[in-house]
Amino acid sequence: MIFNVEQETLPREELEAIQLRRLQNLCERVYANVPHYREQFIKAGVTPADIKSLSDLAKLPFTEKQDLRDNYPFGLFAVPKENIVRLHASSGTTGKATVVGYTQRDVNNWAELMARSFMAAGATRSDFIHNSYGYGLFTGGLGVHYGAERLGATVIPISGGGTKRQVSLMEDFGATVICSTPSYGLVLHEAAQQAGVNLRDLPLRIGIFGAEPWTDEMRNDLQEKMGIDAVNIYGLSEIMGPGVSIECAVAKDGMHIFEDHFLPEIIDPVTGEQLPEGETGELVITTLTKEGIPLIRYRTRDITSLNYTPCKCGRTHVRMNRITGRSDDMLIIRGVNVFPSQIESIILETEGASPHYQIIVKRQGNLDTVEVQVEIDGSLFSDAIKNLQQIEMRIQKTIKEFLGVSTKVRLVEPRSIERSQGKAKRVFDLRNESE
Ligand code: ADP
Ligand code: ZN
């Protein structure tokens, strides 16, 4: 089912006409109201009147996270402060937090896009939505919350943490939809096992996972463990929060970007040039309708590609493929580019390895060394100790074969790697620290 049939199935020509109109209006708004943008436009030698077609987008300046920091806290807001009804701040995965503001209209649009997201995932107003995304300054909790209410479903605002209690409430209330990071999904499953609860026996049927990179192998694992259909949801606080894009349950093949609100591009992260359709690079998003803090060509740092082929579900909005990493997350190991997600895929395809892992990069002398610590699958630990070395060697060999880097793989005891309540931290790059 489609929440907003008219907008989500617009023929491309009509969609582009709407996008252009909104882009022109956006340029006028930021040029008139945000000194930073006026300066940037002047520097780039463009005025709002120069935007005559969507291809003129490339003339506009990029916006980077640093611009939000430089204008901390409210410098990029495009409306008077009294029109802002809510603030959020990003987790600051890579540095100082950034602040975003929403008008009432922004909050309403966000709720609609999250309601669209739920419906794309297969949820309806009859569902019980267990929301484990953190409530508070982060966008996850409230974003999901308002969307669930807009859909008319029942939302359980459990937030993050208190995992044992989460499991018993899932059981008591009969949650049918779980929203969390994929890594927290694993933590929930583990806690359920410890409590003797099989999540597969609960009415749970849909998992909406996002906020961190994950793989198709992880999807299979979560689907199997919970007896659900798991879909990928994407968002970032600078652009709105969760609900920028989501996979439809029909195809589970890339996340539809709500293109009537967001205009995506893929660029070469080094040169900043737009890349041809289908190529992989950095996702750049222009917000078409946001009032509080509209952003022009925001560099997400997330690496993906766009797929414009028609989708089985009937939505016409473009799909973005799984994020393979952030351009600032990419590890360069002895000159080879490696994304943690590539290592994750290999681990999850190895029998006896669990999805809990850490990647530790150090520099010894002039050489980068990588240790991959993987928890052994709990069920295997007692009876297959003699196989441990074989499993280590197998993972090591596969990483070398597919990624071209030598690593040291070490299996560690079940539950020895710290569990996260939100975004998992899996990479520890210690190369800049003294040896
Ligand atoms: P930050 O972590 O940058 O402080 P956010 O909390 O807004 O800010 O997180 C947004 C980032 O989370 C995205 O830019 C992206 O890197 C990551 N992210 C969100 N959803 C997904 C997803 N489904 N897959 C991979 N990465 C995701
Ligand atoms: Zn679809």
Side-chain angles (χ1 to χ4, degrees), residues 362-416:
K362 291 188 184 160
R363 179 158 289 147
Q364 276 163 358
N366 285 323
L367 205 64
D368 299 328
T369 63
V370 185
E371 178 168 292
V372 182
Q373 297 182 351
V374 186
E375 277 184 22
I376 186 92
D377 194 342
S379 56
L380 223 99
F381 196 53
S382 51
D383 55 316
I385 287 179
K386 56 178 184 304
N387 293 334
L388 293 191
Q389 228 176 353
Q390 269 178 347
I391 298 172
E392 287 175 346
M393 295 311 293
R394 195 173 314 139
I395 299 175
Q396 220 161 279
K397 202 170 144 240
T398 316
I399 293 176
K400 175 78 192 169
E401 215 170 275
F402 285 94
L403 309 182
V405 291
S406 303
T407 55
K408 165 110 192 63
V409 173
R410 199 155 68 80
L411 290 176
V412 297
E413 280 184 43
R415 300 191 216 299
S416 60

Side-chain angles (χ1 to χ4, degrees), residues 58 60-62 64 265-276 279-282 284 297 299 301 303 327:
L60 295 173
F62 290 117
E64 307 211 26
E265 307 164 71
I266 298 290
I267 62 160
D268 178 324
V270 179
T271 65
E273 295 292 318
Q274 274 182 352
L275 291 176
E279 282 192 24
T280 299
E282 180 181 335
V284 170
R297 303 191 85 198
R299 293 191 58 164
R301 300 282 162 195
I303 304 295
S327 60

